Structure formats: structure tokens, C-alpha cells
Amino acid sequence: MNKYLIITVIGADRPGLVELLARTLVAHNANWLESRMANLAGRFAGMVEADVPEANFEPLVEALEKLQADGLKVMVDGGLAEPAEDSFREAQLELVGQDRVGIVQEISSALARHGVSIEKLHTQSESASMSGETLFRARAELRVPNDLDMEALQQSLELLADELMVDIDLQRQTVG
Amino acid sequence: MSQSNASLREPQIHSAFVGRHIGPREVDKREMLGILGLSSMEELIDRVVPGSILENEPLALDASCTEQEALQALRRLAHMNKVFKSFIGMGYYGTFTPPVILRNVLESPAWYTAYTPYQPEISQGRLEAILNFQTMVSDLTGLDIANSSLLDEGTAAAEAMALCRRMSKSKSNTFFVSEICHPQTIEVIRTRALPMGYRVVVGDHRRELDGLELFGVLLQYPGSDGEIHDYAEVVSTAHEKSALVAVAADLLSLALLKPPGEFGADIAIGSTQRFGVPMGFGGPHAAYMATRESFKRSLPGRIVGVSIDSRGDPAYRLAMQTREQHIRREKATSNICTAQVLLAVMASMYAVYHGPDGLRNIARRVHRLTTVLAEGLRQLGFEVMTRHFFDTLLINTGERTGQLHEAARVRGMNLREVDGKRIGISLDETTTIEDVTALWSVFGGGDLNPTAMAASAGDRIPAGLARSSRFLTHKVFNSHQSETAMLRYLRMLADRDLALDRAMIPLGSCTMKLNATAEMIPVTWPGFCDIHPFAPAEQTQGYSELISELERMLCAVTGYAAVSLQPNAGSQGEFAGLLAINGYHQSRGEGHRNICLIPSSAHGTNPASAQMAGMKVVVVNCDSSGNIDIADLTAKAQKHSLDLAAIMITYPSTHGVFEESVREVCRIVHDHGGQVYIDGANLNALVGVCYPGRFGGDVSHLNLHKTFSIPHGGGGPGVGPIGVCEHLQPFLPGNPLATAADGAVGPVSAAPWGSAGILPISYAYIKMMGRDGLLEATRSAILNANYIAHRLREHYPVLYTGPNGMVAHECIVDLRPLKESSGITVEDVAKRLIDYGFHAPTMSFPVAGTLMIEPTESESKAELDRFCEAMICIRQEIRAVETGTLDAEDNPLRNAPHTIAELTDEEWQHCYSRAQAVYPVAALRAGKYWSPVGRIDNVYGDRNLVCSCPALSEYADELA
Ligand SMILES: Cc1ncc(COP(=O)(O)O)c(C=O)c1O
């Protein structure tokens, strides 16, 4: 029987961090399933989903925590019996509006209120075609509960800020 | 040369206009060529245009003629049109353009040469005028918010259908159209509905709504037949079905009738033509759309809003641009770009001039005369079939119908040919009691006494539908009723704006060339203005000759087999062109082809039009030199080979480069069964040099309001004709008064030749330039652009060039590195250019963070130099920011534009001098354009949306 875990790491970016993490997993016969990595302001941040034979779970967690010594802060959320099987669907969210302070926070909290989680979020501000005003664009991949009313979600996002245009495309397949 | 040697027929005289149209003198051209290291214009073209598409024979056009000869030719055509008194109605009415508006708006270059107000600081005058338009529309229709113009009533109705679909909660795909809508409106709706997969049901709103599931309803108020119905019940039936209701309403009638907003309509649309805009054989006129506040983010087209400037003073700008195609692209709900701003300004000024009482009086008089006419006809024994009416009667004329039309024509009058048994008569502002008497005599009652008829004729507006609410209460509609006040108001607004009559407008992709006075003069001649679009063909011979001649000229210029002049903007041309492609695929049993490849650099209208034509957009990448990435194109064409419908490319590309590979691009797409759409917005670089119809295009639209001198009007009018190869000719847009046969394409505009009234401009331009002049214009446009690129290159990187380091007719300068090094943005540079007296180049299109400069052939070397010097001085200012000599935040770029208000502050607030702020170059002291407002706050404007004239007290609140 395997156990699933989510590992979150953060540390000053330098070559070899991913390798260090991978080596630790392999040493415990853990299986690297999925991951997201990013470099933000010179810091390396990553999230890895892995599974590991039940017997190796505790030693792996200990080994990961020891990486602190190498400058990697690690958090483990684990011991799940299986990957979260659920009644979620994927959705794509695209949003464009006037750029201003606080917009990401407002959006993410509105999404959370609807039980929607953000899988990936890409945002950018850019100079708008023709008028040159600063626009904020966000593209997100979402997991939405199957029973969520997409129109209601769209409306409450647009209500957040009158100047937002929100497009949501629902992906057909269910996750998991 | 002594006088006696002067020849009697000098060829120079005939080409004199060419030298008036083109800015640089021969000596300037030689100098500029020399600077570029070239010896001749021919060498320039050889360096710029790929050999694979360059052609050397002269254009198949006449030699140039003089202004007088062109005017004479047009005068002849105008006289061939017979100006009859029109009683046809159907959305087009006689109107008096107040002379003060005719001369100071329609005939004033300050208004007609302006561009779309993307740079709001230098557009406050026309922004105020179009805010007045929005206020007028929203007041008269009784709805919350109006846009500032759509292209015509037919397309406005189609946009209303799209808005209903977006906002309705109904799952149905049926749109119901009342059978008493104008016939051309119904046909345009059918054309638009087809590719979207909507079912259009045309029927009687009183009977045929029951049992239908639908997402929207379109009603006409008053009906095309003149009847005024109470629609309250239809509205509630529709709402019960979760359908929305759009009402096509006659604006003048709303001065007397209960407005659509008060009986529950969700949307109102219509034409504002009869507010002082001549019929012009179908256009241009501004259509309007108004809707509920809660639908505002789905309203198509431009919307002016009120915001504040850097000092907190009120200032106007274009609001909610995130709705529009230039931001939303294939997600946009409408492709509209160029609209009808000049005509919207005229209509709004008509309301400013007449005021609410004046409008009400005009409406009352029209109605009164109609009731008198009806009474007379009744007494003459004719059945007037309209019970409740405003200005239009439907008369049962039975067997005598043909005879009556004949009798009317003998008297110089046109009546509406409804069918073989019924005649329609619409009166308007220009109708007199003598006209009514003349109409009676057509019906055999020349001796009827008007006074007696008036005595027994009562009001025919249903009591329950009489208007009780006030309108146009804002001060602006109540203060300019004297001509002096009106004249000064128009002058004051015009003086706030920067148009081509003050300085070059180097907007890339917009081709802001000279709109010569000789080209403009015929536009207001009665022989062109006062013709109804559905006047009998024998009265419009002048127009038919003008049209077929212009079609022939445009075929010669493009290399296509046929041209349709119907589309009334580039966007509509794109839509029409894609419908032709759809029609062609269908005719070959390949109607499933629906993938449209579009390069990432395309103009926003391209993907928006593709979506409206029912196509799926697949974006093709550009490579690092800005050209279409052939590998990516090949892969995508292969992948979609079975479903490939078309590619839409722009040539020369929106990056301002003649792509060497254009023939290959066309070949790849053709090999996979697709058709090639070449966006002709950049045709100004091609005329006389190469031909889209010959290097691989199947269809193109042209922008006559770019390449062929129609002025931009502050955001319209436009004409977007399409040229097609022979195999697409059967799929050109159809006649708006006939239902398209199976497999044929319906009309895309309400009038058969769209904005026919401005075609004389392009006709005159082509005639006066002639084959050699047009070629010289192309060469000069390319020379001017390369000269600018050359002068600016050492100060700003020029983003893309062809293999010889040359650009086409425009160039992109890259400001992104400067943003990195100094924090100064494109917006800062654009606004700083205002302080130097210039309209900024196109911002952030097609590449964010850049400026695209298109000088056109009309700008002289002196003006190019003045512009380059301004750009170079600005670069030095940026350098001062980079080195710290100027503060990173408090510098003349960040704070631009500088206003007189700021300058005259007690304390000067900045750490650079006043002189540096406003006179950065000495020449400005001799004459300077002053921005009337400081930098406008975009975020504030959208967050605090106000889209009609704000009450003066509101300003006070804001400022408190
Ligand atoms: C490249 C390009 N295509 C299409 C268009 C659309 O033309 P219109 O504004 O007449 O709809 C434009 C106009 O700005 C353009 O620059």
C-alpha cells in the first residue's frame, strides 16, 4: 500500500535544488508524480506530489525535513491513502481588466468562496493595444466542484470589479 | 522660362494635384533617398518589395486629372442622379442639416480629419460631442446606457441579436423578428444569424410568439408599415420565456412616444440619420444602441465615459475598452472598430441645436401633417390601413398601385413600393403642406382644402403610448439655440482637439493621409446627398456609373476580378470576405471547413470577424523577425488540413514589413484546401507596386478611409469594400431587399452600397492621382517611413525590418528596453508627444510596449523632421531619467501632458522648469497646441462609470 504526499519546498535559488529533492525521493523509493516549480524573486519554490511505500513514509518525511540544512525549507502534507479522487472539473479562466492593487487577492478569495481551487495562475500586466492603458491579464486553470453554477461564479467575479471582463471555459473531462 | 514660351497644354498641370497630395518636394525626395544611400525611387522599391511579387507594368488606370476636371466629372454624375422628394421611409428620411452644422462639422477638417479618440487628452472636443450623443440616445430611448455609434440600423439589429444571446438565460437558439421590421434589417439579421447557428423566425408578434422558445425578440417601433403597437404585453411574454427584447425605434418619434425603456425593452437600436444627416443613397449615418446598466459590459462598440485627469478635473475618455475587439480578439462579441463618429457628432449637434422643445416641435409637425394627409386620403376614398401612426401610412391602393407610383414620379415624388396592392408614404421634417397637397393630387384630390382636412384630422398616437417623461434636460441641450452660441460651441470643441489640420497623425496601421478639399466638396452636393437608398434605379444613374467606375478602379488596383462596395467598415469587409469563403467551401460540399489561421500579430478585428463567421481561430506564431513562422504555419495547416477554411494575413504585415515568404504562405494554405484572406488595411504600401489578387490572395478588404483618402471622422465613417478572385464572385454580399437564395450570401449592410454617399471622395482621389500619381504616393509613403526609421534608429531600436534593413510604409520603435532602464513607458512617451504638439503613433499594436509610426506620403520632409526632432528630444529626456539628472517619478514624461492650469498654479510643483515642461523645443514658442486636460486616469473612469453628460453638481461632488 502506498501513501501519497504533497511536498512544498522553498529556498534561495541555486543549481541542483531539484536534483537534491529528486535524490531524496529516489532514496526512499518514492515516486515523483506531478510537480510545479517556479522562481520568484530569486527564490525557488516548488510543489511535488509523490507516492511512497507505506513503510518508507516516515523516514522520507524525516529526510526531507533535514534538507533545511541545505537551505531548503520543506513542508509535507501527507499520509493520504490515495490521490484526492473527486467530483471536480477543470476550467480555464481568463480575465482582463484595468490593472490596480489587490486584484489577485480579490479574485482568489472570490474563487475560494465558490469552492474553486486554483491549479495554475499566470498573470501579467501589459500596455493595452491602442490606448496604452495598463491592463491586467490573468489566465488560470481551476478545479471547480461539479455542481458549481458557472454563471454565478462568473457574475461574482465580474461584480468584484466593474471593469473586469471574465471568460470561463469549462473543460469537459472530469479530473481523477 | 519667358511667358511666351509657356505651352498651352502642359502635362504638369494635369498632374498638379499629385504634388499637392504628396508632401515631400522632388528635392526633398532626392535628399531623403541620398540619406538612405539610394539613388532613385525605383531602387527604393526594389530594396523594399520582394522581387517575387513586384510588378512593373503601370496600373490599368487613366492618367491624373486636375481638381477642376475631377469636380467636373463628379458634377456630371451628380446631375445624372435625379433628386426626387422621398416619401419612401424605411429608416431613411429627408432632413435639414442645420447649415451651421453642415459647414462647421461635416465640412470642417477640424472634425472630419480627426482620428478615433484613443488619445483622450487631445480629443476632449469630440469626446464631449459623442458623450452628448450617448446622452441624447439614452434620454430618448429611456434606457440607461448608450454606445457612441454602430454602422447602420441593420447591423445594429444584428448586434442586438448577439447581445440578447449573450445576456439571455434561455437555452433556445431562436431569435424572433417581427415581420414589421424594415425588410433590410431582417435580411442583415439573417446573414448574421446563419454562421452563428441561430434560427430566425419572422412573424406577427401578436400571434406567433406563443409556443416558441427563444432567446430574443426584435420589434420595430413604429413599425415599418407605420403602425404603432403597444409592446408591453409582448415584452412580458418574452421575459417569461427568459428572452430579451430589442426594439428598433425611430428616434424622432420618441419625442412623442413612450420610450422603449419605459415599456420594459432591454435594448433599443436604430438610426440617427434623420437628425440632420443626409440620406446619401444609404449612408453613412450613425446607428445607435442603448441598453440596461447591467448589460453594459456586453454592449458592443465605443463608449465614452467621464473620468478625471491628473489634477482631479473631469475629463472624457473611451471607457471599458476591455470589451472591444482590439483587446478581446476572438473572444470579442463584436468586430466593430471604425464606426460612424462624424455622423454621430452631427446627430448629437442637431439635438444640441434644436433642444428638447425644438425636437418635439419637429416631431409634432411631422405627425400633424401625416394626420392631415391621412384624413385627405380617407376622404378621397382610400383605405389608410395604419390605425395608429407617427409619420408613416400604409394605403390600400389595389389595382391602381402602379398607376399611382407613376403619377407620383411625374410630380418628382417617390412613394414606397410595398407590394402590388399597397403603397407606403412617410413624411419627415422637410415635408410642407404643399407637399401634402401634391400627394393628394397624386391620389386624385388636388382640390382638397388643407385647412378643412386639418380641422377633421385628430392625433393618431395611442393615448397610452404618448410620452410623458422629459428628455434632453441637460444644460448642453438647452443653451445653444442661437446660431452664435452654436457656432462658438462647435469652435470651442474643435479647438480642444488635435486633428490633421494641425499636425501629422503618425498612427501606424491607420494611414492618416491628406483628405483633400476637392475630394470632400462633392459629398454635400444634393445630387449625392439627397438620394434615398431604395430610390428607383432610373433616378440613380449617376451613382451607378460612379459605383461601377470605382469598382473597376479598385479591381485594377488590387488585381481582383470583382469588388463589392457594400461593407461600410473594414470589419464588415472582413466579415463579408469570410462569408464568401464559407459560401465557396459550401458550394464544393466542404461546408465543414471552419478553421481560420490568424497570425498572432493580426489586428483585433480579424479574429473577431472569424468568430462571427462561425470559424474557429487558430493562432499562428511569428518568428523572431516578426514574420509568419513557416514551420508553425505548416504544422498547423497540416494538422487542420481537413477542416482548414482560411488564413487571414495582413500585407505588408502589421509589423510594417514586406514578408518575403508571402507567396509560400498562400501556397501552403491553398495546398491544404484553405482560402487566403489578405487584410488590405496596409494597401497604401502596395498600390501600383504589387497586387494582392495576383500574389496569392483570394479575397481582401480595403479601407477606403485609409488608402483612398476618406477622412477618419474621429472614428468613422469608413468604407471597407472587398475584392475577390473570380471563384468567389458568386458569394459577394447580396441585396438587402431580397432574401438570399440558398447557397448565396445575404447582405452585410442595410443599404445596397453601404456608405455610398462618401464614395465620391475615393473616386476623386484616384482620378486626380492617376496611375502614375498613385504609384508615386506608394513610393513616397515608403520613403517617408524609411526616412523616419533611419533618423530614429540610433535613438530607438526599430523592431522589425525586411532582409535589406528596410521597412514598408510604417515602422515600429521599441520602447521596452527604455522601460527597463528608466521606468518610462510608451504611454509616457505618447503623452509627452502632446507637449511637443503631436498626436502619438499607434501604441502597443501589434506589439505591447512599442510605438508604430506611419507618416503616409502626405507629410512633408519638414513635418517628418519636426516629428523626429521631438522623438529625439524625448529620448534625451529619457536619458536624463536614466542618468538621474531628472527624477525617476517627477519628470516631464511622467507628468505629460502639461496644461495651462498647471503652469499657472501659484507654486510650480515640479523639479524641472516650466519652460522645460511646455517649451522643450524653441519652435513651440511660435505656436503651440495646449492639451486642455492633464493625463487621464483610466482606472478611475472604469470604476466610476459615467456614460452620459454628468450633472454639473456631480462634478462638484467629485471635486469636494
Ligand atoms: C490591419 C487592420 N485590419 C482591419 C482594420 C479594421 O478596419 P475598420 O476600423 O474599418 O473596421 C484595421 C483598422 O484599424 C486595421 O488596421
Side-chain angles (χ1 to χ4, degrees), chain B residues 337-338 509 569-571 574 603 605-606 650 679 681 701 703 705-706:
Chain B
C337 179
T338 293
S509 208
S571 58
E574 292 171 18
H603 192 262
T605 48
N606 290 187
T650 305
D679 181 324
H701 80 265
N703 295 62
H705 46 300
K706 299 182 179 182

Side-chain angles (χ1 to χ4, degrees), chain A residues 94 96-100 127-133 135 137 151 155 158 162-165 167 169, chain B residues 118 169 296-297 317 321-322 326-328 331 603 826-827 842-845 848 938-939 942-943:
Chain A
E94 277 192 28
V96 57
Q98 297 276 354
D99 197 15
R100 58 182 176 75
S127 163
S129 224
M130 307 302 173
S131 69
E133 61 204 73
L135 283 187
R137 275 186 198 276
E151 255 169 47
Q155 270 195 353
E158 285 184 354
D162 253 345
E163 68 270 26
L164 283 185
M165 293 289 295
D167 299 295
D169 288 330
Chain B
Y118 287 126
K169 302 254 185 287
K296 67 184 178 211
R297 254 182 282 97
R317 64 185 274 277
Q321 292 195 43
T322 47
H326 61 272
I327 309 289
R328 301 256 292 166
K331 292 216 168 67
H603 192 262
V826 246
E827 197 180 6
T842 298
M843 292 163 74
S844 293
F845 171 76
N938 290 309
V939 177
D942 276 2
R943 298 202 86 186

Side-chain angles (χ1 to χ4, degrees), chain B residues 394-589:
Chain B
L394 184 65
I395 303 139
N396 186 351
T397 45
E399 302 304 308
R400 298 175 56 190
T401 307
Q403 210 184 311
L404 288 166
H405 281 299
E406 222 14 75
R409 272 170 216 155
V410 168
R411 288 176 172 79
M413 301 191 283
N414 287 327
L415 312 180
R416 176 174 174 189
E417 300 182 36
V418 178
D419 55 27
K421 297 201 162 3
R422 295 174 303 167
I423 283 178
I425 302 182
S426 292
L427 304 194
D428 58 50
E429 177 188 15
T430 67
T431 313
T432 60
I433 190 65
E434 287 73 29
D435 293 325
V436 171
T437 312
L439 285 167
W440 283 332
S441 37
V442 168
F443 287 80
D447 50 357
L448 282 187
N449 179 339
T451 321
M453 294 306 114
S456 50
D459 212 36
R460 298 293 280 271
I461 288 174
L465 290 177
R467 180 161 194 144
S468 57
S469 52
R470 281 150 48 87
F471 55 90
L472 304 186
T473 52
H474 192 272
K475 187 160 173 274
V476 74
F477 300 106
N478 294 280
S479 339
H480 303 100
Q481 272 74 49
S482 83
E483 180 161 331
T484 304
M486 190 69 199
L487 182 69
R488 290 181 188 156
Y489 182 53
L490 290 170
R491 177 63 191 259
M492 178 190 75
L493 294 183
D495 277 355
R496 287 186 190 161
D497 289 10
L498 198 72
L500 269 183
D501 61 339
R502 286 183 190 244
M504 131 192 231
I505 302 186
L507 282 165
S509 208
C510 302
T511 315
M512 297 296 284
K513 61 168 67 176
L514 171 74
N515 316 117
T517 312
E519 293 151 9
M520 293 302 294
I521 280 177
V523 166
T524 50
W525 288 345
F528 290 126
C529 274
D530 296 339
I531 307 282
H532 192 284
F534 304 129
E538 66 271 13
Q539 294 168 22
T540 58
Q541 294 302 303
Y543 262 120
S544 15
E545 189 176 321
L546 173 80
I547 286 163
S548 54
E549 185 63 2
L550 186 57
E551 286 175 357
R552 195 191 59 72
M553 292 166 169
L554 295 177
C555 285
V557 165
T558 55
Y560 283 113
V563 160
S564 164
L565 290 165
Q566 192 181 93
N568 44 15
S571 58
Q572 305 307 296
E574 292 171 18
F575 178 63
L578 295 173
L579 292 185
I581 291 175
N582 277 343
Y584 172 72
H585 287 314
Q586 264 154 27
S587 73
R588 295 158 44 96

